[in-house]
Amino acid sequence: MNFFDTLSNLELEPFVLSFKLAFATTLILFIIALPLAWWLSQTKSKAKPILEAITALPIVLPPSVLGFYILYTLSLNSPIGAFFDEYFGIKLVFNFTGLVIASCFYSLPFMVQPLQSGFETLNKNMLEASYISGKSKFTTLLYVALPNIKPALLTAIIVTFAHTVGEFGVVLMVGGSIPEETKVASVAIYEFVEILDYESAHIYSGIMVILSFIVLFGVYVFNAKQKKTFI
């Protein structure tokens, strides 16, 4: 089979699953990480370093370690997995739901840290003026803080999305490789290499490289324009 035959027979389902997973993970993490990043940027609590360390753990932990603990926590051997299976009939491993949960843990720091850094660079006088005018912390967050950290906001969303698309170790351990359910693009590439189908692996990998470059290039261009705007 030549290159063009391989390209014409390309299965799009792994890419569709990858982007579906990335979209769901990014949306959920934005809702979770926004108040967490805001609190971390504003608090002087002694618990702040502990929460920051916990949030950053997925960056330094091997994916196999994180994947193992997530797999065990969500499996029927744990109280959490058994509870969802018994009362809701939901199995949290080897399906798309498990992938989303695992991805949220794995990509959490990529959403929290840019948002936190953006909030920490805000002019404190601007926030104080909002509070003095009677605005609540929630209103200040939505209408004062967020509009003024657009580069950090975009970076958090795009990097989280791109990082989730490229996940491998954690999603393989928690979801396995079930076609149309958990077989994302990164897992498909791994399987092509296993069976020595390097041509298909090259095509899938090339598509991932191009997509990742376009995403990151767009972030850097946008941030550069935003910096010029404020100069």
Side-chain angles (χ1 to χ4, degrees), residues 15 17 43 47 56 80 86 88 94 119 125 151 162 194 221 223 225:
F15 291 102
L17 272 177
T43 188
I80 295 175
E86 181 177 352
F88 301 102
F94 301 114
F119 288 140
N125 294 330
E194 272 196 319
V221 169
N223 286 347
K225 289 182 178 180

Side-chain angles (χ1 to χ4, degrees), residues 98-190:
L99 286 190
V100 173
I101 296 172
S103 296
C104 285
F105 279 105
Y106 191 45
S107 295
L108 179 63
F110 296 92
M111 180 66 78
V112 172
Q113 292 184 355
L115 289 177
Q116 183 182 347
S117 298
F119 288 140
E120 289 174 346
T121 61
L122 286 172
N123 188 321
K124 301 300 181 183
N125 294 330
M126 179 174 59
L127 300 179
E128 290 298 329
S130 177
Y131 295 143
I132 291 173
S133 64
K135 301 294 190 297
S136 66
K137 289 185 177 181
F138 181 73
T139 302
T140 301
L141 168 61
L142 288 186
Y143 297 103
V144 178
L146 276 182
N148 286 283
I149 62 161
K150 289 180 181 178
L153 179 61
L154 181 68
T155 299
I157 292 174
I158 297 299
V159 172
T160 300
F161 187 92
H163 181 259
T164 305
V165 169
E167 285 180 24
F168 171 68
V170 171
V171 296
L172 181 62
M173 292 192 71
V174 176
S177 178
I178 304 172
E180 301 184 5
E181 181 71 25
T182 64
K183 187 179 179 180
V184 295
S186 58
V187 174
I189 293 170
Y190 173 75

Side-chain angles (χ1 to χ4, degrees), residues 61-78 92-94 98 102-103 105-106 168-176:
L61 278 179
S64 57
V65 173
L66 185 62
F68 168 71
Y69 281 115
I70 294 175
L71 176 63
Y72 179 79
T73 302
L74 300 182
S75 71
L76 297 179
N77 295 321
S78 78
L92 299 179
V93 293
F94 301 114
S103 296
F105 279 105
Y106 191 45
F168 171 68
V170 171
V171 296
L172 181 62
M173 292 192 71
V174 176

Side-chain angles (χ1 to χ4, degrees), residues 16-117:
V16 173
L17 272 177
S18 292
F19 283 99
K20 181 180 175 183
L21 174 63
F23 179 80
T25 300
T26 303
L27 179 61
I28 293 170
L29 280 183
F30 179 74
I31 296 172
I32 295 173
L34 185 62
L36 175 59
W38 174 251
W39 184 83
L40 288 173
S41 69
Q42 303 298 307
T43 188
K44 295 181 181 179
S45 170
K46 293 181 179 179
K48 178 180 177 179
I50 298 175
L51 285 176
E52 287 179 321
I54 294 174
T55 301
L57 266 179
I59 296 178
V60 297
L61 278 179
S64 57
V65 173
L66 185 62
F68 168 71
Y69 281 115
I70 294 175
L71 176 63
Y72 179 79
T73 302
L74 300 182
S75 71
L76 297 179
N77 295 321
S78 78
I80 295 175
F83 174 81
F84 275 90
D85 180 59
E86 181 177 352
Y87 292 97
F88 301 102
I90 300 174
K91 288 183 171 58
L92 299 179
V93 293
F94 301 114
N95 55 39
F96 188 76
T97 302
L99 286 190
V100 173
I101 296 172
S103 296
C104 285
F105 279 105
Y106 191 45
S107 295
L108 179 63
F110 296 92
M111 180 66 78
V112 172
Q113 292 184 355
L115 289 177
Q116 183 182 347
S117 298

